[in-house]
Amino acid sequence: MVLSIKIKFAERVGRLPPYIFAEIEQLKVEKKKQGVDLITLGIGDPDLKTPDLILNELVEQVKVPENQNYPTSMGEEFFREAVARWYKVRFGLDLNLANEVTNVLGGKEGVANIARAFINPGDIVLCPNPGYPVYANGATKLCDGNPHIMPLKKENNFLPDLEAISTKILKKAKMMYLNYPNNPTGATAPIEYLKKVVDYADDYNFFIVYDNPYSEFTFNDYIAPSLLQVNRDHIEINSSSKMFNMTGFRCGWAVGNSEIIEGLRKIKSQIDSGCPVFIQKAVAKGLNEYSSEKKPDIVAKTMKIYEERRNILVRGLNDIGWRTEKPQATFYIWTQIPKGEENSMEFVKKLINVGVVLTPGIGFGEHGEGFVRFALTQSIERIQEALNRIESVIK
Ligand SMILES: Cc1ncc(COP(=O)(O)O)c(C=O)c1O
């Protein structure tokens, strides 16, 4: 049947960048067909399981009839209470659960929908690059805003160079996305730096969306801060995804300035009906395991595993002549492609030929070119096997 109506995407959809991973996906399918055993270190999705304590709570709570009804999109009171309590014991902050805490369907949803509440066509949003693509695309461009790229350069410890942003742009900026511990670079932000950004925000009248999903993904003695410890005029988004290996459950929270939270709530109440109550119960159970800034067992166990994997991968890469530094946080290793390699995409394709899948830096924006990202989502044995295969390519 021939369609008589002409269907056209909205112009804002046309502003989204092309899907650069299509070629990689195709290559993976071909390799699989040829029987190549793929070691996937590309996607940031934990291979470790959700802690039993949380799963047991979920199974109990899903059976309770009143937990099977519509939730509220702002999150149930017990959930907001658990989030507020977590902020108290983890960061020493007092939050009002009536207007400073709200539920999100995973951090991604919060990061994207916050822009709907505040960005008018043409508004400038400051976005790190390389960075989580949702800041510039799903949030800014889909609200007809203009992302202004803040390059994250190695020589600046992967922190935006604030002095490099023109006064004209700063004056026009309405919002800034910031994410430390950082995906993809693994970088962390010193408190002095956060103080400086907050001063800029104050001077130029924009607010910061501090995306903090890796707050618990830290090594050794490093404890990641909340931006709200520095200043409470902004908002922070976090989720159970990485903290409790719960990427599939879609439950997170946004906290901070009550006017910004109100904007997010207004948008969400017209779009979604909230996170299932039994999932909120399970996440609250996990959050309530915290009694100080120290990671409770259910988180510490996970981090021990990632730490061992990080050490083995970084040591292994250096041993085969690929200079790579250890990150202090996140489960990502961000490293420059070996000398002589053409670009991150071509290098990743070469590695797929031997069954190792990484993410090319260009996938996180143009300033990610020349780098690749490893996610520590495979066992030590598989990481060791990946190292052998990588050695065969780069030697
Ligand atoms: C920087 C960053 N922000 C937000 C998210 C979204 O996580 P979720 O929606 O699972 O909470 C991710 C996930 O990988 C991320 O890396």
Side-chain angles (χ1 to χ4, degrees), residues 301-347:
K301 268 188 200 150
T302 300
M303 287 317 295
K304 224 176 155 35
I305 294 171
Y306 287 132
E307 186 169 2
E308 208 180 343
R309 291 176 180 180
R310 175 198 68 160
N311 293 346
I312 285 170
L313 180 62
V314 173
R315 195 179 317 129
L317 289 173
N318 282 297
D319 284 350
I320 60 175
W322 185 353
R323 254 204 108 242
T324 297
E325 284 164 35
K326 259 189 206 171
Q328 206 179 7
T330 76
F331 64 168
Y332 302 119
I333 308 292
W334 181 249
T335 183
Q336 270 163 304
I337 56 175
K339 280 212 177 71
E341 296 298 336
E342 197 183 329
N343 62 44
S344 62
M345 185 63 94
E346 290 309 311
F347 181 56

Side-chain angles (χ1 to χ4, degrees), residues 183-356:
N183 174 21
T185 68
T188 56
I191 284 284
E192 301 70 50
Y193 180 82
L194 295 180
K195 283 185 180 153
K196 190 168 153 185
V197 190
V198 158
D199 285 347
Y200 264 72
D202 193 30
D203 289 348
Y204 292 101
N205 196 39
F206 61 81
F207 71 87
I208 302 164
V209 178
Y210 198 69
D211 185 24
N212 205 358
Y214 302 98
S215 66
E216 307 315 287
F217 270 45
T218 56
F219 301 113
N220 309 328
D221 297 332
Y222 179 69
I223 294 171
S226 158
L227 182 74
L228 303 183
Q229 288 171 302
V230 179
N231 185 293
R232 297 183 60 155
D233 290 343
H234 308 278
I235 73 155
E236 175 158 300
I237 298 180
N238 204 332
S239 86
S240 61
S241 289
K242 308 286 153 100
M243 189 179 299
F244 301 137
N245 304 319
M246 292 181 81
T247 48
F249 293 74
R250 314 311 303 138
C251 183
W253 52 91
V255 300
N257 177 297
S258 59
E259 282 176 64
I260 308 176
I261 294 293
E262 187 191 343
L264 183 58
R265 280 187 181 173
K266 272 193 177 166
I267 296 297
K268 283 176 58 59
S269 66
Q270 296 295 328
I271 295 178
D272 67 69
S273 297
C275 177
V277 178
F278 44 89
I279 292 180
Q280 294 185 50
K281 288 267 182 191
V283 172
K285 184 84 179 171
L287 289 175
N288 286 334
E289 280 296 287
Y290 275 79
S291 52
S292 72
E293 63 180 12
K294 222 175 129 241
K295 297 177 185 89
D297 272 359
I298 55 167
V299 181
K301 268 188 200 150
T302 300
M303 287 317 295
K304 224 176 155 35
I305 294 171
Y306 287 132
E307 186 169 2
E308 208 180 343
R309 291 176 180 180
R310 175 198 68 160
N311 293 346
I312 285 170
L313 180 62
V314 173
R315 195 179 317 129
L317 289 173
N318 282 297
D319 284 350
I320 60 175
W322 185 353
R323 254 204 108 242
T324 297
E325 284 164 35
K326 259 189 206 171
Q328 206 179 7
T330 76
F331 64 168
Y332 302 119
I333 308 292
W334 181 249
T335 183
Q336 270 163 304
I337 56 175
K339 280 212 177 71
E341 296 298 336
E342 197 183 329
N343 62 44
S344 62
M345 185 63 94
E346 290 309 311
F347 181 56
V348 163
K349 284 198 237 163
K350 257 191 202 174
L351 290 180
I352 295 178
N353 279 327
V354 295
V356 176

Side-chain angles (χ1 to χ4, degrees), residues 123-127 135-137 140-141 145-149:
D123 279 351
I124 287 188
V125 180
L126 302 168
C127 300
Y135 308 143
N137 301 327
T140 309
K141 288 187 185 168
N146 283 332
H148 178 84
I149 283 170

Side-chain angles (χ1 to χ4, degrees), residues 30-215:
E30 277 166 30
K31 288 292 146 192
K32 256 194 196 154
K33 265 195 205 148
Q34 290 165 11
V36 175
D37 154 46
L38 293 178
I39 305 176
T40 305
L41 298 159
I43 310 166
D45 198 352
D47 59 316
L48 305 173
K49 99 183 211 332
T50 310
D52 282 339
L53 176 106
I54 293 179
L55 289 178
N56 293 341
E57 178 73 1
L58 180 76
V59 170
E60 277 314 303
Q61 297 294 342
V62 76
K63 294 183 215 158
V64 178
E66 56 263 39
N67 293 347
Q68 297 162 359
N69 292 107
Y70 280 128
T72 51
S73 79
M74 71 161 86
E76 306 307 306
E77 191 168 318
F78 73 81
F79 176 79
R80 286 180 282 118
E81 231 163 51
V83 172
R85 182 194 164 275
W86 185 70
Y87 266 85
K88 179 73 184 166
V89 299
R90 171 69 177 82
F91 301 106
L93 290 165
D94 287 298
L95 294 173
N96 182 347
L97 51 122
N99 58 8
E100 292 181 323
V101 182
T102 206
N103 173 260
V104 290
L105 302 172
K108 185 177 187 177
E109 185 266 318
V111 160
N113 270 334
I114 192 77
R116 279 180 182 244
F118 296 98
I119 299 307
N120 289 316
D123 279 351
I124 287 188
V125 180
L126 302 168
C127 300
N129 181 311
Y132 188 51
V134 180
Y135 308 143
N137 301 327
T140 309
K141 288 187 185 168
L142 288 186
C143 290
D144 302 326
N146 283 332
H148 178 84
I149 283 170
M150 303 186 293
L152 302 189
K153 295 184 182 165
K154 192 166 190 274
E155 61 266 31
N156 297 330
N157 299 319
F158 300 112
L159 298 165
D161 178 359
L162 302 172
E163 279 90 20
I165 310 171
S166 74
T167 311
K168 195 172 145 210
I169 293 289
L170 286 167
K171 278 186 179 161
K172 283 177 74 180
K174 190 143 187 204
M175 212 164 85
M176 174 196 266
Y177 285 102
L178 210 57
N179 156 236
Y180 294 95
N182 182 259
N183 174 21
T185 68
T188 56
I191 284 284
E192 301 70 50
Y193 180 82
L194 295 180
K195 283 185 180 153
K196 190 168 153 185
V197 190
V198 158
D199 285 347
Y200 264 72
D202 193 30
D203 289 348
Y204 292 101
N205 196 39
F206 61 81
F207 71 87
I208 302 164
V209 178
Y210 198 69
D211 185 24
N212 205 358
Y214 302 98
S215 66

